[in-house]
Coordinates of all heavy atoms in Angstrom, one line a residue:
Chain B
K120 N 4.1 -28.1 -44.6 CA 4.8 -28.7 -43.5 C 3.8 -29.4 -42.5 O 4.0 -30.6 -42.1 CB 5.6 -27.6 -42.6 CG 6.6 -28.1 -41.7 CD 7.7 -27.0 -41.4 CE 7.6 -26.6 -39.9 NZ 8.3 -25.3 -39.6
A121 N 2.8 -28.6 -42.4 CA 1.7 -29.2 -41.5 C 1.2 -30.5 -42.2 O 0.7 -31.4 -41.4 CB 0.7 -28.2 -41.2
L122 N 0.8 -30.3 -43.3 CA 0.1 -31.6 -44.1 C 1.1 -32.8 -44.1 O 0.6 -33.8 -43.9 CB -0.3 -31.2 -45.5 CG -1.4 -30.2 -45.6 CD1 -1.7 -29.8 -47.1 CD2 -2.7 -30.8 -45.0
S123 N 2.3 -32.5 -44.2 CA 3.3 -33.6 -44.3 C 3.4 -34.2 -42.9 O 3.4 -35.5 -42.8 CB 4.6 -33.3 -44.8 OG 5.5 -32.9 -44.0
E124 N 3.3 -33.4 -41.9 CA 3.3 -33.9 -40.4 C 2.1 -34.7 -40.3 O 2.1 -35.9 -39.6 CB 3.3 -32.7 -39.6 CG 3.2 -33.1 -38.1 CD 4.1 -34.2 -37.5 OE1 5.4 -34.3 -38.1 OE2 3.7 -35.1 -36.6
D125 N 0.9 -34.3 -40.8 CA -0.3 -35.0 -40.7 C -0.3 -36.4 -41.3 O -0.5 -37.3 -40.7 CB -1.5 -34.2 -41.3 CG -2.9 -34.8 -41.0 OD1 -3.1 -35.0 -39.7 OD2 -3.6 -35.0 -41.9
L126 N 0.4 -36.5 -42.4 CA 0.6 -37.7 -43.2 C 1.4 -38.7 -42.3 O 1.2 -39.7 -42.0 CB 1.2 -37.6 -44.6 CG 0.3 -37.1 -45.6 CD1 1.2 -36.9 -47.0 CD2 -1.0 -37.9 -45.8
N127 N 2.6 -38.1 -41.8 CA 3.5 -38.9 -40.9 C 2.6 -39.4 -39.8 O 2.8 -40.6 -39.3 CB 4.6 -38.0 -40.5 CG 5.7 -37.8 -41.5 OD1 5.6 -38.5 -42.6 ND2 6.4 -36.8 -41.5
S128 N 2.0 -38.5 -39.0 CA 1.5 -39.0 -37.9 C 0.2 -39.9 -38.1 O 0.1 -40.8 -37.4 CB 0.9 -37.8 -37.0 OG -0.3 -37.4 -37.4
R129 N -0.4 -39.7 -39.3 CA -1.3 -40.7 -39.6 C -0.8 -42.2 -40.0 O -1.3 -43.0 -39.4 CB -2.2 -40.3 -40.9 CG -3.2 -39.3 -40.6 CD -3.9 -38.6 -41.7 NE -4.7 -37.5 -41.3 CZ -5.9 -37.5 -40.7 NH1 -6.5 -38.8 -40.5 NH2 -6.5 -36.6 -40.3
S130 N 0.4 -42.1 -40.6 CA 0.8 -43.5 -40.9 C 1.4 -44.0 -39.5 O 1.4 -45.4 -39.4 CB 2.0 -43.4 -41.9 OG 3.3 -43.1 -41.3
R131 N 2.0 -43.2 -38.7 CA 2.4 -43.8 -37.4 C 1.3 -44.4 -36.7 O 1.2 -45.5 -36.0 CB 3.1 -42.7 -36.7 CG 4.4 -42.3 -36.9 CD 5.0 -41.7 -35.7 NE 4.5 -40.4 -35.4 CZ 4.6 -39.1 -35.8 NH1 5.5 -39.1 -37.0 NH2 3.9 -38.1 -35.7
R132 N 0.1 -43.6 -36.7 CA -1.1 -44.1 -36.0 C -1.6 -45.4 -36.7 O -2.0 -46.3 -36.0 CB -2.2 -43.0 -36.0 CG -2.1 -42.1 -34.9 CD -3.2 -41.0 -34.9 NE -2.8 -40.0 -35.9 CZ -3.6 -39.1 -36.4 NH1 -4.8 -39.2 -36.1 NH2 -3.3 -38.2 -37.4
E133 N -1.4 -45.4 -38.0 CA -1.9 -46.6 -38.8 C -1.1 -47.8 -38.3 O -1.6 -48.9 -38.0 CB -1.6 -46.5 -40.3 CG -2.3 -47.5 -41.1 CD -3.8 -47.5 -40.9 OE1 -4.5 -46.6 -40.7 OE2 -4.4 -48.6 -40.8
Q134 N 0.3 -47.6 -38.3 CA 1.1 -48.7 -37.8 C 0.7 -49.2 -36.4 O 0.7 -50.3 -36.2 CB 2.5 -48.3 -37.8 CG 3.2 -48.3 -39.2 CD 4.6 -47.6 -39.2 OE1 5.2 -47.5 -38.2 NE2 5.1 -47.4 -40.4
T135 N 0.7 -48.2 -35.5 CA 0.3 -48.4 -34.2 C -1.0 -49.4 -34.1 O -1.1 -50.3 -33.4 CB 0.0 -47.3 -33.3 OG1 1.2 -46.4 -33.5 CG2 -0.3 -47.6 -31.9
R136 N -2.1 -48.8 -34.9 CA -3.2 -49.6 -34.9 C -3.0 -51.0 -35.4 O -3.6 -52.0 -34.8 CB -4.2 -48.9 -35.8 CG -5.7 -49.0 -35.4 CD -6.8 -48.1 -35.9 NE -6.4 -47.5 -37.0 CZ -6.4 -46.1 -37.2 NH1 -6.5 -45.3 -36.1 NH2 -6.0 -45.6 -38.5
E137 N -2.2 -51.3 -36.4 CA -1.9 -52.5 -37.0 C -1.2 -53.5 -35.9 O -1.7 -54.6 -35.6 CB -1.0 -52.5 -38.2 CG -1.7 -52.2 -39.5 CD -0.6 -52.0 -40.6 OE1 0.5 -52.5 -40.6 OE2 -1.1 -51.3 -41.5
V138 N -0.2 -52.9 -35.2 CA 0.3 -53.6 -34.0 C -0.6 -54.0 -33.0 O -0.7 -55.0 -32.6 CB 1.5 -52.8 -33.6 CG1 2.1 -53.6 -32.3 CG2 2.6 -52.5 -34.5
E139 N -1.6 -53.0 -32.7 CA -2.6 -53.4 -31.7 C -3.5 -54.5 -32.1 O -3.7 -55.4 -31.3 CB -3.4 -52.1 -31.5 CG -2.7 -51.1 -30.6 CD -3.5 -49.6 -30.6 OE1 -4.5 -49.4 -31.4 OE2 -3.2 -48.8 -29.7
N140 N -3.9 -54.4 -33.5 CA -4.7 -55.5 -34.0 C -3.9 -56.9 -33.8 O -4.5 -57.9 -33.5 CB -5.0 -55.3 -35.5 CG -6.0 -54.2 -35.6 OD1 -6.8 -53.8 -34.5 ND2 -6.0 -53.4 -36.7
K141 N -2.6 -56.9 -34.2 CA -1.9 -58.2 -34.1 C -1.8 -58.6 -32.7 O -1.9 -59.8 -32.4 CB -0.4 -57.9 -34.7 CG -0.4 -57.8 -36.2 CD 1.0 -57.5 -36.6 CE 1.0 -57.2 -38.1 NZ 2.2 -56.6 -38.4
I142 N -1.5 -57.8 -31.8 CA -1.5 -58.2 -30.4 C -2.8 -58.6 -29.9 O -2.8 -59.6 -29.1 CB -0.9 -57.0 -29.5 CG1 0.5 -56.7 -29.8 CG2 -1.1 -57.2 -27.9 CD1 1.0 -55.5 -29.1
A143 N -3.8 -58.1 -30.4 CA -5.2 -58.5 -30.0 C -5.5 -59.7 -30.4 O -6.2 -60.5 -29.8 CB -6.2 -57.4 -30.5
S144 N -4.8 -60.3 -31.5 CA -5.0 -61.7 -32.1 C -4.3 -62.7 -31.2 O -4.4 -63.9 -31.4 CB -4.7 -61.7 -33.5 OG -3.2 -61.7 -33.6
L145 N -3.4 -62.3 -30.4 CA -2.6 -63.3 -29.5 C -3.5 -63.8 -28.4 O -4.4 -63.2 -27.9 CB -1.5 -62.6 -28.8 CG -0.3 -61.9 -29.8 CD1 0.6 -61.3 -29.0 CD2 0.2 -63.1 -30.8
T146 N -3.2 -65.2 -28.0 CA -4.0 -65.7 -26.9 C -3.4 -65.0 -25.6 O -2.1 -64.6 -25.7 CB -3.8 -67.2 -26.9 OG1 -2.5 -67.6 -26.6 CG2 -4.3 -67.8 -28.1
P147 N -4.0 -65.3 -24.4 CA -3.4 -64.6 -23.2 C -2.0 -65.2 -23.0 O -1.1 -64.6 -22.6 CB -4.3 -65.0 -22.2 CG -5.7 -65.1 -22.9 CD -5.4 -65.6 -24.3
R148 N -1.9 -66.6 -23.2 CA -0.6 -67.3 -22.9 C 0.4 -66.8 -23.9 O 1.6 -66.5 -23.4 CB -0.8 -68.7 -23.0 CG 0.3 -69.6 -22.8 CD 0.8 -69.4 -21.4 NE 0.2 -70.5 -20.5 CZ 0.4 -70.5 -19.1 NH1 0.9 -69.3 -18.5 NH2 -0.1 -71.3 -18.3
E149 N 0.1 -66.6 -25.2 CA 1.0 -66.1 -26.2 C 1.6 -64.8 -25.8 O 2.7 -64.4 -25.8 CB 0.5 -66.0 -27.6 CG 0.3 -67.4 -28.1 CD -0.6 -67.4 -29.4 OE1 -1.3 -66.4 -29.7 OE2 -0.8 -68.4 -30.0
R150 N 0.5 -63.9 -25.2 CA 1.0 -62.6 -24.7 C 2.0 -62.6 -23.6 O 3.0 -61.9 -23.6 CB -0.3 -61.7 -24.4 CG 0.0 -60.2 -24.4 CD -1.3 -59.5 -24.3 NE -2.2 -59.8 -25.3 CZ -3.5 -59.2 -25.2 NH1 -3.9 -58.4 -24.3 NH2 -4.4 -59.5 -26.1
E151 N 1.7 -63.5 -22.6 CA 2.7 -63.7 -21.6 C 4.0 -64.0 -22.1 O 5.0 -63.5 -21.5 CB 2.1 -64.7 -20.6 CG 1.1 -64.4 -19.6 CD 0.5 -65.5 -18.8 OE1 0.6 -66.6 -19.2 OE2 0.0 -65.1 -17.7
V152 N 4.1 -64.9 -22.9 CA 5.4 -65.3 -23.6 C 6.1 -64.3 -24.2 O 7.2 -63.9 -24.1 CB 5.1 -66.6 -24.5 CG1 6.4 -66.9 -25.3 CG2 4.6 -67.8 -23.7
M153 N 5.2 -63.5 -25.1 CA 5.9 -62.4 -25.8 C 6.5 -61.2 -24.8 O 7.6 -60.8 -25.0 CB 4.8 -61.7 -26.7 CG 5.5 -60.6 -27.6 SD 4.3 -59.7 -28.6 CE 3.7 -58.5 -27.4
E154 N 5.7 -61.0 -23.9 CA 6.2 -60.0 -22.7 C 7.6 -60.3 -22.3 O 8.4 -59.5 -22.0 CB 5.2 -59.7 -21.7 CG 4.0 -58.9 -22.0 CD 2.8 -59.0 -21.1 OE1 3.0 -59.9 -20.0 OE2 1.7 -58.6 -21.4
R155 N 7.7 -61.7 -22.1 CA 9.0 -62.3 -21.5 C 10.2 -62.2 -22.5 O 11.2 -62.0 -22.3 CB 8.8 -63.6 -20.7 CG 8.0 -63.3 -19.5 CD 7.6 -64.7 -18.9 NE 6.9 -64.5 -17.7 CZ 5.8 -63.9 -17.4 NH1 5.1 -63.5 -18.4 NH2 5.2 -63.8 -16.2
V156 N 9.7 -62.8 -23.8 CA 10.7 -62.8 -24.8 C 11.4 -61.4 -25.1 O 12.5 -61.3 -25.3 CB 10.0 -63.3 -26.2 CG1 10.9 -63.2 -27.4 CG2 9.7 -64.9 -25.9
I157 N 10.5 -60.4 -25.1 CA 11.0 -59.1 -25.6 C 11.9 -58.4 -24.5 O 12.6 -57.5 -24.7 CB 10.0 -58.1 -26.0 CG1 8.8 -57.8 -24.9 CG2 9.3 -58.5 -27.3 CD1 7.8 -56.8 -25.4
T158 N 11.8 -59.0 -23.2 CA 12.7 -58.4 -22.2 C 14.0 -59.3 -22.2 O 14.8 -59.0 -21.4 CB 12.1 -58.4 -20.8 OG1 11.7 -59.6 -20.5 CG2 10.9 -57.4 -20.8
G159 N 14.1 -60.2 -23.2 CA 15.4 -60.8 -23.4 C 15.4 -62.2 -22.4 O 16.5 -62.8 -22.4
Q160 N 14.4 -62.7 -21.9 CA 14.4 -63.9 -21.2 C 14.7 -65.2 -22.1 O 14.0 -65.3 -23.2 CB 13.2 -64.0 -20.2 CG 13.1 -63.0 -19.2 CD 11.9 -63.3 -18.2 OE1 11.3 -64.5 -18.3 NE2 11.5 -62.3 -17.5
A161 N 15.5 -66.1 -21.7 CA 15.6 -67.3 -22.4 C 14.4 -68.2 -22.2 O 13.6 -68.2 -21.3 CB 16.9 -68.1 -21.9
N162 N 14.1 -69.1 -23.3 CA 13.0 -70.0 -23.2 C 13.0 -70.8 -21.9 O 11.9 -71.1 -21.3 CB 13.1 -71.0 -24.4 CG 12.8 -70.2 -25.8 OD1 12.3 -69.1 -25.7 ND2 12.9 -70.9 -26.8

Side-chain angles (χ1 to χ4, degrees):
Chain B
K120 198 158 110 190
L122 289 176
S123 92
E124 172 55 31
D125 189 52
L126 286 183
N127 288 341
S128 90
R129 277 172 195 284
S130 86
R131 278 200 304 276
R132 270 177 284 162
E133 192 56 43
Q134 281 177 11
T135 306
R136 209 158 26 234
E137 278 172 25
V138 174
E139 278 169 351
N140 289 340
K141 285 173 185 165
I142 288 175
S144 71
L145 300 178
T146 64
R148 184 58 96 191
E149 285 164 357
R150 201 172 300 176
E151 280 177 333
V152 171
M153 185 184 82
E154 278 163 10
R155 285 165 176 73
V156 167
I157 59 176
T158 59
Q160 288 183 21
N162 289 352

